[in-house]
Amino acid sequence: MHTANPWHVDLDTCAMEPIHVIGRIQSFGTLLSFSPDWIVNHAAQNCAPVFGRGARDLLGHSAASVLAADALHEIRSRAQMLGSPDAVERLFGLDLTGDGRRFDVALHHSGRSWVIECEPAGSGRQRDHVSLVRPMVERMRSAGSVQALCDLAARMMRGLTGFDRVKVYRFEPDGGGEVVAESAAGGIDSFRGLHFPASDIPAQARALYARNLLRIISDIDDPTVPIVPAQGPDGNPLDLSMSGLRAVSPIHIEYLRNMGVKASLSVSIMRRGKLWGLIACHHYAPLVLAYPVRTACELFGEFFSFLLEQAEDEAARQQHARAGRLHQEIMARIAGGATLLSAFEEFSEAIRDVIPHDGIAGWVDGQFLSRGSTPDREQFLDLALFLNTCGAGAVWATDAICAIHEPACRWGDAAAGLLALPVSRAPGDYVVLFRHEHVHDVHWAGNPEKSVEFGPNGARLTPRKSFAAWKQERRGHCRPWSADEIAAADSLRVTLLEVVLQLADAARSERARAAQRQDTLIAELNHRVRNILNLIRSLVFQSKASSDTIDAFAAIVGDRIHALARAHDQVTQANWAPASLHRLIATECSAYAAPGADGRARLAIEGPDAMLNPAAFLPLALVVHELMTNSCKYGAFSRAEGEVRVATLPRPDGGLDLRWSEHGGPPVAAPQRRGFGTAIITRTIPHELSGEAEVDFDPAGLRARFVVPASCIAGFDAGFDAGAPAFAPALAPAATGGGALSGLALVVEDNMLIAMEAEDLLRELGCARCELAGSVDGALALIARHDFAFALLDVNLGHETSGTVAEALRARGVPFAVASGYGEAEAVDPRYGGAPVVTKPYAAADLAAAVARSRA
């Protein structure tokens, strides 16, 4: 009779822990839950400071009696936008109770209830962290491999969040995982290359990561806050699966405490709807990350997932291309009269180039052939009988044949793993690739077999106390066959069966699936961006319909955003005073339309210049940008001889009559469908400025007329020369030998991402190493310790300026340049002594020119 072991701990108990209904939240925010008819049915016990009443006093009351009318209207409007059970809507800076206090709010479904979570919005000047994501993504596009992409993602996320350690963690098929990339502060032991067992992140936690893409733990010592009541009328606790404030399992808290971690952040990496891995962030002190920063992290994770899928798909495409070349080579030999038997050696060499192996053996038409390290004929015949039981319709692979086919242990010195390709429609004929045993060490973060102990939580899985590297020798296995190699083997099998049409159909199907996945992902990314951004949200969403590829989509949106940026520069350089319409038009022309072949200007502006109020400037910038880009694509500017004429005519009521006409371009026809660009041209001025817009698709050239109301016009200036616009982009002078860098450079910049970008640019210009400082004290300490060859100073360092640093550099004779997001106007402090200024964003050419000028 079998007696159960009373001390046995079933790992399934950890996997079944109901972490999504834990009944508590972290204390840096609070929570309310409403029934379908907007009656409070749950409340966090810390809600009184926000809503003026305790949790139990709120239960049963209507949302209208708890929330301000405007806040409730906004929340219910956003509830309408929740497109799926796992969707989360975000509202930033919302006045929840009408008393002027601002909160960042998340809204999501929980069963039939609506759940809002709120936390105080930051005070003072707020940085737009979401806007940092686009340049981060642009930098990651240049990564040449999956590993380089992961390394850069870890570095970028650490710069964005300020966590002490950021890891890119990839899950393995068994649920375990490996740290494949890491960025960590100095003095912290590295986890890179370490493996973690599946029990560290159990199955239900992985499932939750696949639904809720961001998880924050601000302080493991937070006592957390209970939700009242613990169960609803149906007897079930509130489901917190999509909660951003959800408290943490005591087991996971103990796990983090054993690692010495005080705060953590996890961002899910998804690939084709499945959890590929995590961007895992650790901090060794409590850290509350503002909701806008967390939102930017989640958006960054989604873009990283997309780029990762692209990179892995590119590697798969390259492997597929090699398999295709192998197919062509084999088919060419067959077309020349060769057979698999007669050209077996040549075939095996060609296969080795695509699928590395140590030996190859074949049984075809009753004949045995082998090359390299393989079983002998009798051993192979026994193996073939075993392979018949594995299914003859597909390739079959294992990295440890001895573990599942005991007779293979007798020839284990020849091979430890195999990849079998059936080459006949009926079982019996095979080509099999073999690999030697690969004895290697697996490095674990602590002993994985010590994960089950008895601790303060009773007879359950208790996290191990040590995460020091623990080495395990692995025997009886070959190097694993990768998914790409198995796919190549399957293509090879089809080739050997001469089913060429099947291969072509599979390729076409895969391309169609890839296109569908891309379309779906683009739509999802647009949905996320729509929840976060205001004006940019509309541009992204409306622009996607006219984009066939992600690159075209990014170009269109980028151009429109840059048009707004150029307009914004003109307004801000004038200190938000009225700005020139002529300059706006000329600047857009210089950005998109080159002069004619004879050097003549192709844009003519007639009439007095209109000085636009700032509120009208940005909408008109979008309209002019769309007119200019459409002309470059389809109109007058698409031909070298084409011209655009613009007339600005004052109206008797003080308004403006703006007329646009194109000449010398291709024939014009009205578009068959109304795109977003056309909507901007025809609707922006009427909708935002209460003006008028008319567009005539005259075959001889597009004509448009706009009426801008007097309220948008500050006045007219007849003296502006449109032929020499003050805001035309200046070309940075080419770097000369005098501007080349060497030695040590200093970058003083309070934004980590911009500092890292400057570091990379200075390295490109030749400096051997860069030191980074984010404050005056940090910069002065570095200057005292090092001899610098050049320095780049950001003027505004948060609550201080870098003028003192400039004085210290000048006293030591160190040349420097000033970087500013405000242009030349900010560097008038005499302590900078006329140092060259580079305006953000700057490129390598701008910086090279500044280096040269600083040494002149």
Side-chain angles (χ1 to χ4, degrees):
M1 180 176 177
H2 176 72
T3 303
N5 181 358
W7 299 106
H8 173 71
V9 177
D10 185 359
L11 290 180
D12 288 341
T13 60
C14 180
M16 293 186 295
E17 185 181 14
I19 58 176
H20 63 298
V21 289
I22 199 166
R24 305 180 73 87
I25 63 169
Q26 299 176 68
S27 63
F28 66 87
T30 191
L31 174 149
L32 287 182
S33 171
F34 299 92
S35 65
D37 51 354
W38 294 91
I39 301 297
V40 178
N41 56 16
H42 288 278
Q45 206 157 42
N46 64 344
C47 63
V50 176
F51 299 106
R53 284 179 281 178
R56 295 197 178 276
D57 294 333
L58 288 172
L59 297 177
H61 288 274
S62 67
S65 66
V66 176
L67 304 175
D70 289 345
L72 179 58
H73 172 75
E74 187 69 21
I75 290 171
R76 295 186 69 163
S77 297
R78 291 300 186 91
Q80 188 69 33
M81 299 172 63
L82 289 172
S84 71
D86 292 346
V88 178
E89 282 290 323
R90 300 163 175 80
L91 300 91
F92 299 102
L94 190 65
D95 185 354
L96 275 177
T97 58
D99 58 3
R101 293 178 300 162
R102 300 288 174 175
F103 295 88
D104 294 331
V105 177
L107 170 68
H108 66 270
H109 286 292
S110 178
R112 299 182 67 242
S113 295
W114 305 100
V115 176
I116 67 167
E117 300 174 286
C118 57
E119 52 194 90
S123 59
R125 178 184 174 187
Q126 297 297 303
R127 173 171 292 168
D128 181 7
H129 292 86
V130 171
S131 67
L132 299 177
V133 173
R134 190 182 64 81
M136 293 165 67
V137 172
E138 288 302 319
R139 291 192 65 186
M140 288 197 300
R141 288 184 189 277
S142 63
S145 65
V146 171
Q147 184 60 56
L149 182 65
C150 293
D151 290 338
L152 195 53
R155 184 182 173 198
M156 293 284 191
M157 183 63 85
R158 183 163 168 254
L160 178 62
T161 63
F163 273 82
D164 292 329
R165 184 200 303 275
V166 176
K167 305 174 292 182
V168 177
Y169 182 82
R170 181 181 61 205
F171 286 109
E172 295 168 347
D174 64 355
E178 178 186 2
V179 178
V180 299
E182 181 183 58
S183 176
I188 297 178
D189 292 339
S190 176
F191 280 1
R192 185 183 181 121
L194 294 185
H195 291 253
F196 290 74
S199 57
D200 279 18
I201 305 179
Q204 91 279 22
R206 297 193 296 271
L208 202 52
Y209 278 126
R211 294 182 60 199
N212 193 338
L213 303 185
L214 185 138
R215 183 76 174 107
I216 179 73
I217 302 172
S218 62
D219 184 358
I220 67 166
D221 295 319
D222 183 355
T224 71
V225 180
I227 293 174
V228 177
Q231 288 86 29
D234 58 359
N236 295 320
L238 184 65
D239 188 333
L240 298 177
S241 295
M242 302 309 300
S243 168
L245 298 176
R246 173 167 47 86
V248 190
S249 157
I251 293 177
H252 187 60
I253 289 293
E254 186 178 352
Y255 179 87
L256 293 177
R257 183 172 285 114
N258 291 347
M259 295 182 80
V261 172
K262 292 293 186 180
S264 74
L265 174 76
S266 299
V267 180
S268 302
I269 305 171
M270 304 298 294
R271 174 162 162 74
R272 299 180 183 177
K274 296 183 178 180
L275 187 63
W276 183 94
L278 299 172
I279 301 177
C281 311
H282 288 167
H283 205 63
Y284 295 96
L287 179 62
V288 177
L289 212 58
Y291 197 33
V293 182
R294 304 202 304 271
T295 299
C297 292
E298 184 175 350
L299 183 63
F300 174 78
E302 293 197 53
F303 274 107
F304 171 67
S305 297
F306 174 64
L307 294 176
L308 177 68
E309 181 171 340
Q310 279 190 325
E312 291 192 337
D313 283 351
E314 177 59 27
R317 282 192 293 271
Q318 292 177 3
Q319 180 75 2
H320 185 73
R322 289 191 290 270
R325 290 191 293 271
L326 175 61
H327 162 79
Q328 293 172 359
E329 180 178 348
I330 291 176
M331 294 305 295
R333 290 181 181 275
I334 292 175
T339 67
L340 182 60
L341 296 176
S342 64
F344 187 77
E345 184 169 346
E346 291 84 351
F347 285 150
S348 64
E349 284 297 327
I351 294 170
R352 185 194 299 270
D353 292 338
V354 178
I355 309 174
H357 56 268
D358 300 306
I360 181 171
W363 180 266
V364 181
D365 291 335
Q367 297 188 51
F368 173 73
L369 297 169
S370 67
R371 190 171 186 271
S373 181
T374 70
D376 60 27
R377 183 178 186 278
E378 295 304 319
Q379 291 168 338
F380 188 88
L381 288 176
D382 176 73
L383 174 64
L385 294 174
F386 167 76
L387 293 175
N388 288 344
T389 68
C390 299
V395 298
W396 185 84
T398 177
D399 64 350
I401 183 61
C402 185
I404 51 179
H405 181 54
E406 191 275 333
C409 298
R410 293 193 290 272
W411 40 272
D413 56 340
L418 60 85
L419 177 59
L421 291 72
V423 292
S424 62
R425 296 193 181 276
D429 291 350
Y430 294 95
V431 171
V432 182
L433 311 181
F434 295 94
R435 282 179 178 171
H436 287 145
E437 180 185 29
H438 174 56
V439 179
H440 63 289
D441 294 332
V442 178
H443 295 270
W444 296 89
N447 185 351
E449 297 179 1
K450 294 281 187 180
S451 59
V452 179
E453 300 174 357
F454 291 89
N457 293 305
R460 303 175 69 190
L461 183 146
T462 298
R464 55 194 178 279
K465 302 298 188 295
S466 172
F467 290 84
W470 189 87
K471 185 170 68 176
Q472 179 186 48
E473 186 179 76
R474 196 180 192 208
R475 288 186 169 273
H477 295 258
C478 71
R479 292 186 183 274
W481 306 94
S482 71
D484 290 342
E485 289 170 339
I486 293 174
D490 196 46
S491 297
L492 174 60
R493 170 183 173 273
V494 173
T495 300
L496 296 174
L497 288 169
E498 300 184 65
V499 188
V500 179
L501 291 179
Q502 289 185 13
L503 180 61
D505 290 341
R508 282 194 295 270
S509 297
E510 176 57 28
R511 284 195 297 270
R513 287 194 295 271
Q516 184 179 12
R517 287 193 300 269
Q518 187 181 54
D519 290 343
T520 301
L521 184 55
I522 291 173
E524 176 62 20
L525 290 178
N526 284 333
H527 174 73
R528 292 283 182 176
V529 173
R530 191 169 62 246
N531 293 339
I532 301 169
L533 306 177
N534 295 316
L535 176 59
I536 305 303
R537 171 187 66 196
S538 298
L539 292 179
V540 172
F541 177 75
Q542 295 292 345
S543 300
K544 69 173 184 176
S546 58
S547 306
D548 296 327
T549 66
I550 189 66
D551 290 335
F553 171 73
I556 291 172
V557 175
D559 287 346
R560 286 169 175 157
I561 294 173
H562 280 299
L564 288 175
R566 287 191 295 271
H568 189 269
D569 285 344
Q570 295 181 52
V571 173
T572 55
Q573 289 202 16
N575 293 321
W576 289 94
S580 164
L581 173 60
H582 283 196
R583 288 181 182 175
L584 168 63
I585 298 170
T587 299
E588 280 297 319
C589 179
S590 67
Y592 288 95
D598 57 358
R600 62 182 175 83
R602 300 169 62 198
L603 171 70
I605 305 178
E606 301 173 352
D609 189 12
M611 305 304 292
L612 301 174
N613 291 325
F617 199 86
L618 295 183
L620 273 168
L622 275 179
V623 173
V624 172
H625 169 75
E626 292 301 325
L627 287 168
M628 199 69 67
T629 53
N630 285 345
S631 182
C632 291
K633 291 179 181 178
Y634 316 112
F637 281 156
S638 68
R639 291 186 175 177
E641 65 275 13
E643 296 180 352
V644 171
R645 299 172 189 170
V646 179
T648 53
L649 307 174
R651 292 171 60 86
D653 62 358
L656 168 70
D657 198 332
L658 175 63
R659 300 184 182 184
W660 174 286
S661 61
E662 302 189 15
H663 308 270
V668 174
Q672 295 181 352
R673 67 180 182 87
R674 188 187 186 98
F676 182 48
T678 304
I680 288 178
I681 294 170
T682 59
R683 294 183 179 180
T684 299
I685 292 176
H687 183 79
E688 296 194 28
L689 306 182
S690 299
E692 300 175 17
E694 299 175 3
V695 178
D696 179 12
F697 293 97
D698 188 331
L702 181 96
R703 301 180 188 279
R705 174 178 174 271
F706 306 95
V707 175
V708 182
S711 60
C712 302
I713 309 297
F716 291 90
D717 179 4
F720 175 71
D721 179 8
F727 284 86
L731 296 177
T736 63
L741 279 175
S742 61
L744 182 64
L746 171 65
V747 176
V748 182
E749 167 63 63
D750 63 333
N751 183 298
M752 177 57 70
L753 292 175
I754 297 176
M756 290 160 53
E757 176 74 14
E759 176 185 13
D760 292 341
L761 292 177
L762 289 172
R763 286 180 181 273
E764 291 179 12
L765 294 177
C767 80
R769 185 164 62 89
C770 288
E771 292 288 343
L772 308 182
S775 65
V776 170
D777 289 343
L780 294 177
L782 290 172
I783 292 171
R785 294 200 303 268
H786 301 288
D787 293 326
F788 291 103
F790 177 76
L792 181 64
L793 311 182
D794 181 17
V795 174
N796 191 349
L797 302 175
H799 301 295
E800 56 186 351
T801 67
S802 58
T804 305
V805 181
E807 289 179 323
L809 291 170
R810 194 173 298 282
R812 289 166 172 76
V814 179
F816 63 89
V818 176
S820 171
Y822 298 91
E824 300 280 351
E826 193 184 25
V828 295
D829 189 325
R831 292 179 294 179
Y832 296 108
V837 177
V838 288
T839 303
K840 299 176 182 177
Y842 46 81
D846 304 319
L847 198 52
V851 171
R853 293 198 303 273
S854 71
R855 297 180 171 187

PDB file of all heavy atoms in Angstrom, residues 833-850:
ATOM      1  N   GLY A 833      30.678  82.577 -23.329  1.00  0.00           N
ATOM      2  CA  GLY A 833      31.725  83.219 -24.117  1.00  0.00           C
ATOM      3  C   GLY A 833      31.604  83.036 -25.616  1.00  0.00           C
ATOM      4  O   GLY A 833      32.616  82.870 -26.312  1.00  0.00           O
ATOM      5  N   GLY A 834      30.391  83.036 -26.158  1.00  0.00           N
ATOM      6  CA  GLY A 834      30.244  82.898 -27.605  1.00  0.00           C
ATOM      7  C   GLY A 834      30.530  81.502 -28.126  1.00  0.00           C
ATOM      8  O   GLY A 834      30.853  81.329 -29.312  1.00  0.00           O
ATOM      9  N   ALA A 835      30.439  80.501 -27.271  1.00  0.00           N
ATOM     10  CA  ALA A 835      30.666  79.120 -27.717  1.00  0.00           C
ATOM     11  C   ALA A 835      29.646  78.745 -28.791  1.00  0.00           C
ATOM     12  O   ALA A 835      28.500  79.214 -28.764  1.00  0.00           O
ATOM     13  CB  ALA A 835      30.551  78.156 -26.537  1.00  0.00           C
ATOM     14  N   PRO A 836      30.028  77.882 -29.749  1.00  0.00           N
ATOM     15  CA  PRO A 836      29.071  77.472 -30.794  1.00  0.00           C
ATOM     16  C   PRO A 836      27.883  76.738 -30.189  1.00  0.00           C
ATOM     17  O   PRO A 836      28.013  76.031 -29.189  1.00  0.00           O
ATOM     18  CB  PRO A 836      29.902  76.548 -31.700  1.00  0.00           C
ATOM     19  CG  PRO A 836      31.066  76.131 -30.880  1.00  0.00           C
ATOM     20  CD  PRO A 836      31.349  77.263 -29.939  1.00  0.00           C
ATOM     21  N   VAL A 837      26.718  76.937 -30.810  1.00  0.00           N
ATOM     22  CA  VAL A 837      25.472  76.354 -30.321  1.00  0.00           C
ATOM     23  C   VAL A 837      24.952  75.359 -31.359  1.00  0.00           C
ATOM     24  O   VAL A 837      24.920  75.666 -32.552  1.00  0.00           O
ATOM     25  CB  VAL A 837      24.404  77.441 -30.064  1.00  0.00           C
ATOM     26  CG1 VAL A 837      23.077  76.813 -29.630  1.00  0.00           C
ATOM     27  CG2 VAL A 837      24.899  78.428 -29.002  1.00  0.00           C
ATOM     28  N   VAL A 838      24.578  74.178 -30.896  1.00  0.00           N
ATOM     29  CA  VAL A 838      23.870  73.211 -31.749  1.00  0.00           C
ATOM     30  C   VAL A 838      22.456  73.077 -31.188  1.00  0.00           C
ATOM     31  O   VAL A 838      22.253  72.954 -29.987  1.00  0.00           O
ATOM     32  CB  VAL A 838      24.571  71.832 -31.787  1.00  0.00           C
ATOM     33  CG1 VAL A 838      25.837  71.901 -32.585  1.00  0.00           C
ATOM     34  CG2 VAL A 838      24.854  71.317 -30.387  1.00  0.00           C
ATOM     35  N   THR A 839      21.486  73.146 -32.082  1.00  0.00           N
ATOM     36  CA  THR A 839      20.088  73.107 -31.683  1.00  0.00           C
ATOM     37  C   THR A 839      19.554  71.694 -31.749  1.00  0.00           C
ATOM     38  O   THR A 839      19.779  70.993 -32.738  1.00  0.00           O
ATOM     39  CB  THR A 839      19.252  74.022 -32.598  1.00  0.00           C
ATOM     40  OG1 THR A 839      19.780  75.349 -32.533  1.00  0.00           O
ATOM     41  CG2 THR A 839      17.799  74.048 -32.154  1.00  0.00           C
ATOM     42  N   LYS A 840      18.885  71.284 -30.695  1.00  0.00           N
ATOM     43  CA  LYS A 840      18.284  69.954 -30.657  1.00  0.00           C
ATOM     44  C   LYS A 840      17.062  69.921 -31.562  1.00  0.00           C
ATOM     45  O   LYS A 840      16.297  70.907 -31.593  1.00  0.00           O
ATOM     46  CB  LYS A 840      17.864  69.590 -29.219  1.00  0.00           C
ATOM     47  CG  LYS A 840      19.005  69.539 -28.229  1.00  0.00           C
ATOM     48  CD  LYS A 840      18.459  69.272 -26.831  1.00  0.00           C
ATOM     49  CE  LYS A 840      19.554  69.257 -25.783  1.00  0.00           C
ATOM     50  NZ  LYS A 840      19.016  69.061 -24.423  1.00  0.00           N
ATOM     51  N   PRO A 841      16.827  68.790 -32.253  1.00  0.00           N
ATOM     52  CA  PRO A 841      17.704  67.623 -32.351  1.00  0.00           C
ATOM     53  C   PRO A 841      18.846  67.886 -33.317  1.00  0.00           C
ATOM     54  O   PRO A 841      18.665  68.551 -34.329  1.00  0.00           O
ATOM     55  CB  PRO A 841      16.777  66.527 -32.893  1.00  0.00           C
ATOM     56  CG  PRO A 841      15.766  67.280 -33.693  1.00  0.00           C
ATOM     57  CD  PRO A 841      15.560  68.594 -33.009  1.00  0.00           C
ATOM     58  N   TYR A 842      20.009  67.360 -33.006  1.00  0.00           N
ATOM     59  CA  TYR A 842      21.169  67.594 -33.861  1.00  0.00           C
ATOM     60  C   TYR A 842      21.685  66.269 -34.399  1.00  0.00           C
ATOM     61  O   TYR A 842      21.465  65.210 -33.829  1.00  0.00           O
ATOM     62  CB  TYR A 842      22.278  68.320 -33.093  1.00  0.00           C
ATOM     63  CG  TYR A 842      22.575  67.755 -31.727  1.00  0.00           C
ATOM     64  CD1 TYR A 842      23.386  66.632 -31.569  1.00  0.00           C
ATOM     65  CD2 TYR A 842      22.058  68.345 -30.581  1.00  0.00           C
ATOM     66  CE1 TYR A 842      23.667  66.126 -30.311  1.00  0.00           C
ATOM     67  CE2 TYR A 842      22.322  67.846 -29.321  1.00  0.00           C
ATOM     68  CZ  TYR A 842      23.133  66.735 -29.191  1.00  0.00           C
ATOM     69  OH  TYR A 842      23.404  66.212 -27.957  1.00  0.00           O
ATOM     70  N   ALA A 843      22.389  66.342 -35.528  1.00  0.00           N
ATOM     71  CA  ALA A 843      22.970  65.166 -36.176  1.00  0.00           C
ATOM     72  C   ALA A 843      24.481  65.251 -36.097  1.00  0.00           C
ATOM     73  O   ALA A 843      25.053  66.223 -35.579  1.00  0.00           O
ATOM     74  CB  ALA A 843      22.500  65.085 -37.630  1.00  0.00           C
ATOM     75  N   ALA A 844      25.139  64.220 -36.637  1.00  0.00           N
ATOM     76  CA  ALA A 844      26.601  64.168 -36.575  1.00  0.00           C
ATOM     77  C   ALA A 844      27.225  65.367 -37.276  1.00  0.00           C
ATOM     78  O   ALA A 844      28.214  65.935 -36.804  1.00  0.00           O
ATOM     79  CB  ALA A 844      27.101  62.862 -37.190  1.00  0.00           C
ATOM     80  N   ALA A 845      26.648  65.780 -38.419  1.00  0.00           N
ATOM     81  CA  ALA A 845      27.206  66.913 -39.154  1.00  0.00           C
ATOM     82  C   ALA A 845      27.117  68.194 -38.334  1.00  0.00           C
ATOM     83  O   ALA A 845      28.054  69.013 -38.322  1.00  0.00           O
ATOM     84  CB  ALA A 845      26.487  67.075 -40.486  1.00  0.00           C
ATOM     85  N   ASP A 846      26.001  68.401 -37.628  1.00  0.00           N
ATOM     86  CA  ASP A 846      25.859  69.589 -36.787  1.00  0.00           C
ATOM     87  C   ASP A 846      26.915  69.590 -35.687  1.00  0.00           C
ATOM     88  O   ASP A 846      27.540  70.625 -35.403  1.00  0.00           O
ATOM     89  CB  ASP A 846      24.461  69.626 -36.150  1.00  0.00           C
ATOM     90  CG  ASP A 846      23.358  69.575 -37.187  1.00  0.00           C
ATOM     91  OD1 ASP A 846      23.497  70.233 -38.220  1.00  0.00           O
ATOM     92  OD2 ASP A 846      22.369  68.858 -36.945  1.00  0.00           O
ATOM     93  N   LEU A 847      27.111  68.442 -35.072  1.00  0.00           N
ATOM     94  CA  LEU A 847      28.075  68.353 -33.981  1.00  0.00           C
ATOM     95  C   LEU A 847      29.497  68.514 -34.489  1.00  0.00           C
ATOM     96  O   LEU A 847      30.334  69.160 -33.853  1.00  0.00           O
ATOM     97  CB  LEU A 847      27.901  67.018 -33.256  1.00  0.00           C
ATOM     98  CG  LEU A 847      28.492  66.911 -31.856  1.00  0.00           C
ATOM     99  CD1 LEU A 847      28.021  68.053 -30.972  1.00  0.00           C
ATOM    100  CD2 LEU A 847      28.102  65.585 -31.226  1.00  0.00           C
ATOM    101  N   ALA A 848      29.790  67.924 -35.674  1.00  0.00           N
ATOM    102  CA  ALA A 848      31.133  68.074 -36.252  1.00  0.00           C
ATOM    103  C   ALA A 848      31.436  69.541 -36.530  1.00  0.00           C
ATOM    104  O   ALA A 848      32.548  70.027 -36.284  1.00  0.00           O
ATOM    105  CB  ALA A 848      31.244  67.253 -37.530  1.00  0.00           C
ATOM    106  N   ALA A 849      30.442  70.274 -37.050  1.00  0.00           N
ATOM    107  CA  ALA A 849      30.645  71.698 -37.311  1.00  0.00           C
ATOM    108  C   ALA A 849      30.890  72.461 -36.018  1.00  0.00           C
ATOM    109  O   ALA A 849      31.725  73.368 -35.956  1.00  0.00           O
ATOM    110  CB  ALA A 849      29.436  72.260 -38.051  1.00  0.00           C
ATOM    111  N   ALA A 850      30.162  72.110 -34.960  1.00  0.00           N
ATOM    112  CA  ALA A 850      30.345  72.791 -33.676  1.00  0.00           C
ATOM    113  C   ALA A 850      31.734  72.508 -33.104  1.00  0.00           C
ATOM    114  O   ALA A 850      32.371  73.404 -32.530  1.00  0.00           O
ATOM    115  CB  ALA A 850      29.264  72.352 -32.696  1.00  0.00           C
TER     116      ALA A 850
END
